[in-house]
């Protein structure tokens, strides 16, 4: 009874707004504290000093006194190495969490996830073909990102199409379709590496297959961050439609809403997010499954609260996952995709075995 009362309180609008504010402040605090972790330990004073210098430099038009100018060791470690990768981790976490929430509504299945359904593998295949063979060269320097988006989009529609063959999609059909397409994409990626016959090719592709934030830079991070924030705002405004998707097409039609074209739009937007995430950080699994499910258990399935809360939780989760990857094994960095899979796969199996998955916490 007490647990039900707590859940009811969390689902109230005022409580939801308070939770969002707390999570946002926690995300900012996490970024500030996480910068201090690494091979070279830093203090919060060091971090604040660099950020203060950059703020003064920006406000003064490029001129700022002090010994923290570009080129100094402290400046480069904080501003060029650690902070970009942490902000990238936050953006990827938010993007994957939002993508998971939306995909679960689109296919009406709480176990849908970009990684489980093979969409991340499709994005990885597109990035691999662009990197090794120059596919999509018409897009110039953006060819890798464009092909990652194209791969994610094609697999998204393929999963929906295959799972609906012979009747309405079910959990088993979605998982089988995702597993099959993921295997196909992985096979084509390996075949591409074999055809390239280049000893350096596996090293080039390992970034996408294992995931990592080490190649973060401010331009790429900024693009994904803008896309993630834009998607959160967009899908929050679409919360009514996402709620209708959980009720089915028949119910939506009686309320005057045709979901077909909206599903295509939502899949395109989520594919763009997944493609950008894979392009910048590789394949990172289960964030889009575990985070939305945990938030939904507490706040329910109303997407007006679910979308922004899941985005913030996903961002915080991946920031600290990156810290764990850099500190668990001194002198070595664990690929973040491996860590999220080690954490997410057991949760996925537990949900499958116990059937404790559903919208709003109800079992299915």
């Amino acid at each position: 009874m007490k647990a039900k009362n707590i859940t009811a309180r969390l689902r109230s609008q005022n409580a939801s707004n308070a939770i969002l504010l707390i999570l946002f402040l926690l995300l900012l605090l996490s970024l500030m504290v996480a910068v201090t972790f690494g091979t070279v330990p830093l203090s919060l004073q060091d971090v604040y000093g660099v950020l203060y210098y950059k703020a003064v430099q920006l406000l003064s038009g490029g001129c700022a006194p002090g010994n923290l100018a570009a080129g100094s060791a402290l400046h480069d470690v904080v501003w060029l190495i650690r902070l970009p990768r942490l902000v990238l981790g936050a953006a990827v976490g938010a993007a994957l969490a939002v993508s998971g929430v939306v995909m679960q509504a689109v296919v009406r299945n709480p176990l849908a996830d970009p990684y489980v359904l093979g969409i991340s593998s499709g994005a990885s295949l597109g990035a691999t073909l662009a990197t090794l063979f120059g596919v999509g060269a018409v897009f110039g320097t953006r060819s890798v990102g464009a092909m990652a988006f194209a791969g994610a989009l094609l697999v998204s529609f393929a999963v929906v199409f295959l799972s609906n063959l012979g009747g309405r999609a079910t959990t088993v059909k979605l998982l089988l379709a995702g597993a099959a397409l993921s295997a196909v994409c992985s096979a084509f990626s390996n075949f591409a590496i074999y055809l390239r016959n280049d000893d350096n090719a596996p090293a080039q592709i390992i970034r996408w297959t294992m995931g990592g934030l080490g190649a973060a830079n401010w331009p790429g991070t900024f693009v994904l961050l803008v896309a993630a924030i834009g998607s959160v705002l967009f899908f929050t405004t679409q919360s009514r439609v996402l709620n209708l998707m959980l009720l089915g097409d028949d119910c939506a039609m009686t309320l005057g809403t045709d979901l077909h074209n909206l599903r295509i739009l939502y899949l395109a937007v989520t594919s763009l997010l997944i493609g950008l995430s894979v392009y910048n950080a590789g394949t990172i699994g289960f964030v889009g499954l575990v985070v939305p499910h945990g938030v939904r258990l507490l706040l329910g399935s109303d997407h007006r609260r679910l979308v922004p809360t899941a985005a913030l939780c996903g961002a915080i989760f991946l920031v600290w996952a990156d810290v764990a990857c850099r500190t668990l094994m001194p002198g070595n960095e664990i690929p973040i995709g491996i860590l999220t899979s080690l954490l997410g796969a057991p949760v996925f199996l537990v949900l499958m075995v116990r059937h404790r998955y559903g919208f709003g916490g109800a079992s299915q």
Side-chain angles (χ1 to χ4, degrees):
M1 183 65 67
K2 291 183 178 180
K4 291 183 178 180
N5 291 336
I6 293 175
T7 302
R9 291 176 183 174
L10 288 175
R11 294 182 182 184
S12 68
Q13 186 59 49
N14 291 336
S16 297
N17 292 337
I19 289 173
L20 288 176
L21 178 60
I22 292 172
L23 288 174
F24 179 73
L25 295 176
L26 183 59
L27 174 59
L28 294 180
L29 179 62
S30 297
L31 290 172
M32 293 298 96
V33 175
V35 178
T36 63
F37 290 89
T39 305
V40 179
L42 300 176
S43 66
L44 287 174
Q45 183 178 359
D46 294 329
V47 175
Y48 291 145
V50 173
L51 296 180
Y52 175 76
Y53 170 83
K54 299 301 293 186
V56 172
Q57 184 183 43
L58 178 64
L59 295 174
S60 61
C63 299
N67 58 354
L68 295 175
S72 67
L74 182 57
H75 171 279
D76 290 351
V77 169
V78 173
W79 187 253
L80 298 180
I81 299 177
R82 294 189 185 176
L83 199 56
R85 71 179 290 158
L86 289 172
V87 175
L88 176 62
V92 171
L96 293 178
V98 170
S99 297
V101 168
V102 175
M103 288 180 56
Q104 288 160 15
V106 168
V107 302
R108 295 184 64 197
N109 194 298
L111 293 183
D113 165 76
Y115 183 79
V116 174
L117 298 186
I119 299 172
S120 294
S121 296
S124 180
L125 173 60
T128 298
L129 295 176
T131 301
L132 297 183
F133 298 101
V135 178
V138 67
F139 297 103
T141 57
R142 299 179 179 85
S143 61
V144 177
M147 291 303 299
F149 164 67
L153 184 64
L154 289 174
V155 174
S156 296
F157 287 117
V159 167
V160 174
F161 173 76
L162 291 175
S163 61
N164 281 280
L165 288 177
R168 179 182 163 185
T170 63
T171 298
V172 174
K173 291 170 68 177
L174 279 168
L175 295 179
L176 289 176
L181 289 173
S182 179
V184 170
C185 291
S186 297
F188 273 105
S189 294
N190 292 331
F191 186 58
I193 295 175
Y194 172 77
L195 289 180
R196 192 73 174 85
N197 194 25
D198 185 350
D199 293 338
N200 296 322
Q204 292 177 290
I205 305 306
I206 197 171
R207 174 186 168 195
W208 288 290
T209 58
M210 291 189 177
L213 304 174
N217 58 75
W218 280 118
T221 298
F222 180 76
V223 172
L224 179 56
L225 183 62
V226 171
I229 294 174
S231 68
V232 172
L233 296 176
F234 171 71
F235 284 121
T236 301
T237 64
Q238 301 294 304
S239 58
R240 176 182 172 275
V241 177
L242 291 171
N243 290 339
L244 283 176
M245 286 184 174
L246 302 185
L247 301 176
D249 289 71
D250 293 338
C251 182
M253 289 298 293
T254 61
L255 296 175
T257 303
D258 186 359
L259 300 179
H260 177 70
N261 292 332
L262 291 172
R263 280 198 178 92
I264 296 176
L265 174 62
Y266 295 170
L267 284 175
V269 175
T270 55
S271 296
L272 177 61
L273 287 176
I274 297 166
L276 288 173
S277 299
V278 170
Y279 172 56
N280 283 283
T283 303
I284 299 177
F286 293 103
V287 177
L289 171 68
V290 176
V291 172
H293 184 76
V295 174
R296 192 180 287 111
L297 287 176
L298 292 176
L299 299 183
S301 55
D302 185 354
H303 288 85
R304 182 177 55 180
R305 297 188 292 264
L306 182 59
V307 170
T309 306
L312 289 171
C313 289
I316 295 170
F317 170 75
L318 218 57
V319 166
W320 287 108
D322 179 64
V323 172
C325 288
R326 291 186 283 116
T327 57
L328 286 178
M329 297 178 61
N332 294 289
E333 179 178 328
I334 304 173
I336 196 169
I338 293 179
L339 181 63
T340 58
S341 295
L342 288 174
L343 295 174
V347 175
F348 178 76
L349 292 175
V350 169
L351 293 176
M352 287 290 296
V353 172
R354 295 186 177 182
H355 296 282
R356 296 295 299 167
Y357 54 91
F359 294 111
S363 300
Q364 288 189 352

